[in-house]
Short mmCIF file of all heavy atoms in Angstrom, two decimals:
data_model
loop_
_atom_site.label_atom_id
_atom_site.label_comp_id
_atom_site.label_asym_id
_atom_site.label_seq_id
_atom_site.Cartn_x
_atom_site.Cartn_y
_atom_site.Cartn_z
N ALA A 8 0.85 -1.20 0.00
CA ALA A 8 0.00 0.00 0.00
C ALA A 8 0.88 1.25 0.00
O ALA A 8 1.99 1.25 0.56
CB ALA A 8 -0.90 0.00 1.23
N ARG A 9 0.39 2.29 -0.64
CA ARG A 9 1.12 3.57 -0.72
C ARG A 9 0.20 4.73 -0.31
O ARG A 9 -1.00 4.66 -0.57
CB ARG A 9 1.66 3.78 -2.14
CG ARG A 9 2.72 2.78 -2.53
CD ARG A 9 3.16 2.98 -3.98
NE ARG A 9 4.27 2.11 -4.34
CZ ARG A 9 4.15 0.84 -4.68
NH1 ARG A 9 2.92 0.28 -4.72
NH2 ARG A 9 5.23 0.13 -4.97
N TRP A 10 0.79 5.75 0.29
CA TRP A 10 0.02 6.91 0.73
C TRP A 10 0.88 8.17 0.67
O TRP A 10 2.11 8.10 0.53
CB TRP A 10 -0.50 6.70 2.15
CG TRP A 10 0.58 6.33 3.13
CD1 TRP A 10 1.41 7.14 3.81
CD2 TRP A 10 0.95 5.00 3.49
NE1 TRP A 10 2.27 6.45 4.59
CE2 TRP A 10 2.01 5.12 4.43
CE3 TRP A 10 0.50 3.72 3.15
CZ2 TRP A 10 2.62 4.00 5.00
CZ3 TRP A 10 1.10 2.62 3.73
CH2 TRP A 10 2.14 2.75 4.65
N SER A 11 0.23 9.29 0.78
CA SER A 11 0.94 10.59 0.76
C SER A 11 0.07 11.63 1.45
O SER A 11 -1.10 11.38 1.77
CB SER A 11 1.24 11.02 -0.68
OG SER A 11 0.02 11.20 -1.40
N ALA A 12 0.65 12.80 1.70
CA ALA A 12 -0.10 13.90 2.33
C ALA A 12 0.48 15.22 1.87
O ALA A 12 1.65 15.32 1.47
CB ALA A 12 -0.05 13.80 3.85
N ILE A 13 -0.36 16.24 1.94
CA ILE A 13 0.05 17.61 1.60
C ILE A 13 -0.23 18.49 2.81
O ILE A 13 -1.32 18.44 3.41
CB ILE A 13 -0.72 18.13 0.37
CG1 ILE A 13 -0.42 17.29 -0.86
CG2 ILE A 13 -0.39 19.60 0.12
CD1 ILE A 13 -1.27 17.66 -2.07
N ASP A 14 0.75 19.30 3.22
CA ASP A 14 0.55 20.28 4.30
C ASP A 14 1.15 21.60 3.85
O ASP A 14 2.36 21.69 3.60
CB ASP A 14 1.20 19.82 5.60
CG ASP A 14 0.89 20.75 6.75
OD1 ASP A 14 -0.20 20.60 7.34
OD2 ASP A 14 1.71 21.65 7.05
N ARG A 15 0.31 22.63 3.75
CA ARG A 15 0.76 23.93 3.25
C ARG A 15 1.28 24.84 4.37
O ARG A 15 1.62 25.98 4.12
CB ARG A 15 -0.36 24.62 2.49
CG ARG A 15 -0.87 23.80 1.30
CD ARG A 15 -1.85 24.58 0.46
NE ARG A 15 -2.37 23.77 -0.64
CZ ARG A 15 -1.71 23.53 -1.77
NH1 ARG A 15 -0.51 24.04 -1.96
NH2 ARG A 15 -2.26 22.78 -2.72
N GLY A 16 1.29 24.32 5.59
CA GLY A 16 1.79 25.12 6.71
C GLY A 16 3.22 24.77 7.05
O GLY A 16 4.17 25.19 6.37
N THR A 17 3.39 23.96 8.06
CA THR A 17 4.75 23.65 8.53
C THR A 17 5.31 22.38 7.92
O THR A 17 6.47 22.05 8.14
CB THR A 17 4.73 23.50 10.07
OG1 THR A 17 3.69 22.59 10.44
CG2 THR A 17 4.47 24.84 10.73
N GLY A 18 4.50 21.64 7.16
CA GLY A 18 4.99 20.44 6.50
C GLY A 18 4.64 19.17 7.25
O GLY A 18 4.39 19.17 8.44
N VAL A 19 4.64 18.05 6.48
CA VAL A 19 4.29 16.75 7.05
C VAL A 19 5.47 16.21 7.85
O VAL A 19 6.61 16.19 7.37
CB VAL A 19 3.89 15.76 5.95
CG1 VAL A 19 3.59 14.39 6.54
CG2 VAL A 19 2.69 16.29 5.16
N LYS A 20 5.18 15.75 9.06
CA LYS A 20 6.23 15.20 9.91
C LYS A 20 6.17 13.68 9.96
O LYS A 20 7.20 13.00 9.94
CB LYS A 20 6.10 15.75 11.32
CG LYS A 20 7.14 15.20 12.29
CD LYS A 20 6.97 15.78 13.68
CE LYS A 20 8.03 15.23 14.64
NZ LYS A 20 7.88 15.78 16.00
N ALA A 21 4.97 13.11 10.07
CA ALA A 21 4.89 11.66 10.26
C ALA A 21 3.53 11.15 9.79
O ALA A 21 2.58 11.93 9.60
CB ALA A 21 5.11 11.30 11.72
N TYR A 22 3.48 9.82 9.62
CA TYR A 22 2.24 9.13 9.28
C TYR A 22 1.97 8.06 10.34
O TYR A 22 2.88 7.59 11.03
CB TYR A 22 2.35 8.46 7.91
CG TYR A 22 2.56 9.40 6.76
CD1 TYR A 22 3.84 9.72 6.32
CD2 TYR A 22 1.47 9.96 6.10
CE1 TYR A 22 4.03 10.59 5.26
CE2 TYR A 22 1.65 10.83 5.03
CZ TYR A 22 2.94 11.13 4.61
OH TYR A 22 3.13 11.99 3.55
N GLN A 23 0.71 7.70 10.40
CA GLN A 23 0.33 6.57 11.24
C GLN A 23 -0.66 5.72 10.46
O GLN A 23 -1.58 6.25 9.83
CB GLN A 23 -0.28 7.05 12.56
CG GLN A 23 -0.37 5.96 13.60
CD GLN A 23 -0.69 6.51 14.98
OE1 GLN A 23 -1.36 7.54 15.10
NE2 GLN A 23 -0.19 5.86 16.01
N VAL A 24 -0.42 4.41 10.47
CA VAL A 24 -1.20 3.48 9.67
C VAL A 24 -1.97 2.55 10.62
O VAL A 24 -1.44 2.10 11.64
CB VAL A 24 -0.29 2.65 8.75
CG1 VAL A 24 -1.13 1.66 7.93
CG2 VAL A 24 0.51 3.55 7.83
N ARG A 25 -3.19 2.27 10.26
CA ARG A 25 -3.94 1.23 10.97
C ARG A 25 -4.40 0.19 9.95
O ARG A 25 -4.74 0.50 8.82
CB ARG A 25 -5.11 1.81 11.75
CG ARG A 25 -6.18 2.46 10.92
CD ARG A 25 -7.31 2.98 11.80
NE ARG A 25 -8.40 3.55 10.99
CZ ARG A 25 -9.55 3.98 11.49
NH1 ARG A 25 -9.77 3.91 12.80
NH2 ARG A 25 -10.48 4.48 10.70
N VAL A 26 -4.42 -1.05 10.43
CA VAL A 26 -4.69 -2.17 9.53
C VAL A 26 -5.81 -3.02 10.13
O VAL A 26 -5.82 -3.30 11.34
CB VAL A 26 -3.42 -3.04 9.37
CG1 VAL A 26 -3.71 -4.20 8.42
CG2 VAL A 26 -2.27 -2.20 8.86
N GLY A 27 -6.75 -3.41 9.29
CA GLY A 27 -7.83 -4.28 9.72
C GLY A 27 -7.93 -5.51 8.83
O GLY A 27 -7.75 -5.41 7.61
N ARG A 28 -8.21 -6.68 9.43
CA ARG A 28 -8.35 -7.93 8.67
C ARG A 28 -9.63 -8.62 9.12
O ARG A 28 -9.98 -8.59 10.29
CB ARG A 28 -7.16 -8.84 8.88
CG ARG A 28 -5.84 -8.33 8.28
CD ARG A 28 -4.71 -9.33 8.52
NE ARG A 28 -3.47 -8.92 7.87
CZ ARG A 28 -2.55 -8.13 8.43
NH1 ARG A 28 -2.77 -7.64 9.66
NH2 ARG A 28 -1.46 -7.82 7.77
N ALA A 29 -10.28 -9.30 8.15
CA ALA A 29 -11.49 -10.07 8.45
C ALA A 29 -11.70 -11.08 7.32
O ALA A 29 -11.19 -10.90 6.20
CB ALA A 29 -12.70 -9.15 8.56
N PRO A 30 -12.45 -12.14 7.57
CA PRO A 30 -12.78 -13.06 6.48
C PRO A 30 -13.51 -12.33 5.37
O PRO A 30 -14.25 -11.36 5.61
CB PRO A 30 -13.68 -14.10 7.15
CG PRO A 30 -13.29 -14.05 8.60
CD PRO A 30 -12.97 -12.62 8.87
N VAL A 31 -13.27 -12.74 4.15
CA VAL A 31 -13.93 -12.09 3.01
C VAL A 31 -15.44 -12.12 3.23
O VAL A 31 -16.01 -13.16 3.60
CB VAL A 31 -13.55 -12.80 1.70
CG1 VAL A 31 -14.38 -12.25 0.54
CG2 VAL A 31 -12.07 -12.64 1.41
N GLY A 32 -16.08 -10.99 3.03
CA GLY A 32 -17.52 -10.88 3.20
C GLY A 32 -17.96 -10.48 4.60
O GLY A 32 -19.14 -10.24 4.83
N LYS A 33 -16.98 -10.43 5.54
CA LYS A 33 -17.29 -10.06 6.91
C LYS A 33 -16.78 -8.62 7.18
O LYS A 33 -15.78 -8.19 6.59
CB LYS A 33 -16.64 -11.02 7.90
CG LYS A 33 -17.08 -12.48 7.74
CD LYS A 33 -18.55 -12.65 8.11
CE LYS A 33 -18.94 -14.12 8.05
NZ LYS A 33 -20.37 -14.33 8.40
N PRO A 34 -17.43 -7.87 8.09
CA PRO A 34 -16.95 -6.52 8.39
C PRO A 34 -15.68 -6.53 9.23
O PRO A 34 -15.41 -7.48 9.98
CB PRO A 34 -18.13 -5.92 9.17
CG PRO A 34 -18.80 -7.10 9.81
CD PRO A 34 -18.68 -8.23 8.82
N ILE A 35 -14.91 -5.47 9.09
CA ILE A 35 -13.72 -5.28 9.93
C ILE A 35 -14.18 -4.88 11.33
O ILE A 35 -14.84 -3.86 11.52
CB ILE A 35 -12.78 -4.20 9.35
CG1 ILE A 35 -12.37 -4.54 7.91
CG2 ILE A 35 -11.57 -4.00 10.25
CD1 ILE A 35 -11.48 -5.75 7.81
N ARG A 36 -13.82 -5.71 12.33
CA ARG A 36 -14.29 -5.43 13.69
C ARG A 36 -13.22 -4.78 14.57
O ARG A 36 -13.53 -4.20 15.61
CB ARG A 36 -14.79 -6.71 14.34
CG ARG A 36 -15.99 -7.31 13.62
CD ARG A 36 -16.61 -8.43 14.43
NE ARG A 36 -17.76 -9.01 13.75
CZ ARG A 36 -18.98 -8.49 13.76
NH1 ARG A 36 -19.21 -7.35 14.41
NH2 ARG A 36 -19.97 -9.08 13.11
N SER A 37 -11.98 -4.83 14.21
CA SER A 37 -10.93 -4.21 15.02
C SER A 37 -9.78 -3.77 14.11
O SER A 37 -9.59 -4.34 13.02
CB SER A 37 -10.42 -5.17 16.09
OG SER A 37 -9.81 -6.31 15.51
N TRP A 38 -9.06 -2.80 14.58
CA TRP A 38 -7.95 -2.24 13.81
C TRP A 38 -6.68 -2.32 14.67
O TRP A 38 -6.72 -2.09 15.87
CB TRP A 38 -8.20 -0.78 13.44
CG TRP A 38 -9.35 -0.57 12.51
CD1 TRP A 38 -10.65 -0.47 12.82
CD2 TRP A 38 -9.27 -0.45 11.09
NE1 TRP A 38 -11.43 -0.28 11.71
CE2 TRP A 38 -10.60 -0.26 10.61
CE3 TRP A 38 -8.23 -0.49 10.16
CZ2 TRP A 38 -10.90 -0.11 9.26
CZ3 TRP A 38 -8.52 -0.32 8.81
CH2 TRP A 38 -9.84 -0.14 8.38
N LYS A 39 -5.60 -2.59 14.02
CA LYS A 39 -4.29 -2.56 14.69
C LYS A 39 -3.53 -1.34 14.19
O LYS A 39 -3.30 -1.19 12.98
CB LYS A 39 -3.51 -3.83 14.39
CG LYS A 39 -2.18 -3.89 15.13
CD LYS A 39 -1.46 -5.22 14.86
CE LYS A 39 -0.13 -5.25 15.62
NZ LYS A 39 0.59 -6.55 15.38
N VAL A 40 -3.18 -0.44 15.16
CA VAL A 40 -2.52 0.81 14.80
C VAL A 40 -1.02 0.64 14.92
O VAL A 40 -0.50 0.21 15.97
CB VAL A 40 -3.01 1.96 15.71
CG1 VAL A 40 -2.29 3.27 15.33
CG2 VAL A 40 -4.52 2.13 15.60
N ARG A 41 -0.31 0.97 13.88
CA ARG A 41 1.14 0.88 13.86
C ARG A 41 1.78 2.16 14.40
O ARG A 41 1.16 3.22 14.45
CB ARG A 41 1.64 0.62 12.44
CG ARG A 41 1.23 -0.74 11.89
CD ARG A 41 1.92 -1.03 10.59
NE ARG A 41 1.72 -2.41 10.15
CZ ARG A 41 2.37 -2.96 9.14
NH1 ARG A 41 3.25 -2.23 8.44
NH2 ARG A 41 2.15 -4.22 8.81
N ALA A 42 3.01 2.06 14.80
CA ALA A 42 3.75 3.21 15.32
C ALA A 42 3.90 4.27 14.23
O ALA A 42 3.94 3.96 13.02
CB ALA A 42 5.11 2.76 15.82
N ARG A 43 4.03 5.50 14.68
CA ARG A 43 4.22 6.60 13.73
C ARG A 43 5.57 6.48 13.05
O ARG A 43 6.58 6.09 13.65
CB ARG A 43 4.14 7.93 14.46
CG ARG A 43 2.79 8.18 15.12
CD ARG A 43 2.81 9.45 15.95
NE ARG A 43 1.52 9.64 16.62
CZ ARG A 43 1.25 10.65 17.45
NH1 ARG A 43 2.18 11.56 17.70
NH2 ARG A 43 0.07 10.74 18.01
N SER A 44 5.60 6.86 11.76
CA SER A 44 6.86 6.84 11.01
C SER A 44 6.74 7.79 9.83
O SER A 44 5.67 8.34 9.57
CB SER A 44 7.17 5.42 10.52
OG SER A 44 6.31 5.07 9.43
N GLN A 45 7.85 7.93 9.12
CA GLN A 45 7.85 8.79 7.93
C GLN A 45 7.68 7.99 6.65
O GLN A 45 7.71 8.56 5.55
CB GLN A 45 9.17 9.59 7.88
CG GLN A 45 9.31 10.58 9.03
CD GLN A 45 10.62 11.36 8.96
OE1 GLN A 45 11.63 10.87 8.44
NE2 GLN A 45 10.59 12.58 9.46
N ALA A 46 7.48 6.70 6.79
CA ALA A 46 7.33 5.85 5.60
C ALA A 46 6.05 6.19 4.84
O ALA A 46 5.03 6.55 5.44
CB ALA A 46 7.30 4.37 6.02
N THR A 47 6.11 6.11 3.53
CA THR A 47 4.95 6.40 2.68
C THR A 47 4.44 5.16 1.96
O THR A 47 3.60 5.27 1.06
CB THR A 47 5.30 7.50 1.66
OG1 THR A 47 6.41 7.05 0.87
CG2 THR A 47 5.62 8.80 2.35
N SER A 48 4.95 3.99 2.37
CA SER A 48 4.44 2.73 1.81
C SER A 48 4.81 1.61 2.77
O SER A 48 5.70 1.76 3.61
CB SER A 48 5.01 2.46 0.42
OG SER A 48 6.41 2.23 0.49
N ALA A 49 4.10 0.48 2.61
CA ALA A 49 4.40 -0.69 3.43
C ALA A 49 3.81 -1.92 2.76
O ALA A 49 2.84 -1.84 2.00
CB ALA A 49 3.84 -0.53 4.83
N THR A 50 4.42 -3.09 3.03
CA THR A 50 3.95 -4.36 2.52
C THR A 50 3.21 -5.09 3.64
O THR A 50 3.69 -5.15 4.78
CB THR A 50 5.11 -5.20 2.02
OG1 THR A 50 5.77 -4.51 0.94
CG2 THR A 50 4.63 -6.57 1.51
N PHE A 51 2.04 -5.65 3.32
CA PHE A 51 1.21 -6.31 4.32
C PHE A 51 0.94 -7.75 3.91
O PHE A 51 0.74 -8.04 2.72
CB PHE A 51 -0.13 -5.57 4.46
CG PHE A 51 0.03 -4.13 4.83
CD1 PHE A 51 0.06 -3.14 3.85
CD2 PHE A 51 0.16 -3.75 6.16
CE1 PHE A 51 0.20 -1.82 4.17
CE2 PHE A 51 0.31 -2.41 6.50
CZ PHE A 51 0.33 -1.44 5.50
N SER A 52 0.88 -8.63 4.86
CA SER A 52 0.53 -10.02 4.58
C SER A 52 -0.99 -10.17 4.50
O SER A 52 -1.71 -9.49 5.24
CB SER A 52 1.09 -10.96 5.66
OG SER A 52 0.51 -10.65 6.92
N VAL A 53 -1.44 -11.07 3.59
CA VAL A 53 -2.88 -11.27 3.41
C VAL A 53 -3.13 -12.78 3.37
O VAL A 53 -2.83 -13.44 2.35
CB VAL A 53 -3.40 -10.60 2.13
CG1 VAL A 53 -4.93 -10.67 2.09
CG2 VAL A 53 -2.92 -9.17 2.00
N PRO A 54 -3.63 -13.38 4.44
CA PRO A 54 -3.93 -14.82 4.41
C PRO A 54 -5.03 -15.11 3.39
O PRO A 54 -5.76 -14.23 2.94
CB PRO A 54 -4.40 -15.10 5.84
CG PRO A 54 -3.83 -13.98 6.67
CD PRO A 54 -3.84 -12.79 5.76
#
């Protein structure tokens, strides 16, 4: 996944990503929040 942001004031400092998984056809019931970082992409496992 890839992401970006625009800030016209003091500039972007960090991002925070949250990830949710559920069986196909089922709603996402919980999210796992990752630590803040400056990364603009990440690879995720998908069972």
Side-chain angles (χ1 to χ4, degrees):
R9 294 177 174 80
W10 53 85
S11 62
I13 298 173
D14 186 83
R15 301 188 182 281
T17 51
V19 177
K20 179 180 181 180
Y22 297 92
Q23 195 167 30
V24 179
R25 63 179 183 175
V26 181
R28 292 181 176 88
V31 173
K33 301 292 184 181
I35 303 292
R36 297 191 180 279
S37 64
W38 295 84
K39 184 177 180 180
V40 179
R41 294 189 171 190
R43 298 174 182 178
S44 74
Q45 295 180 331
T47 58
S48 66
T50 299
F51 302 94
S52 63
V53 188

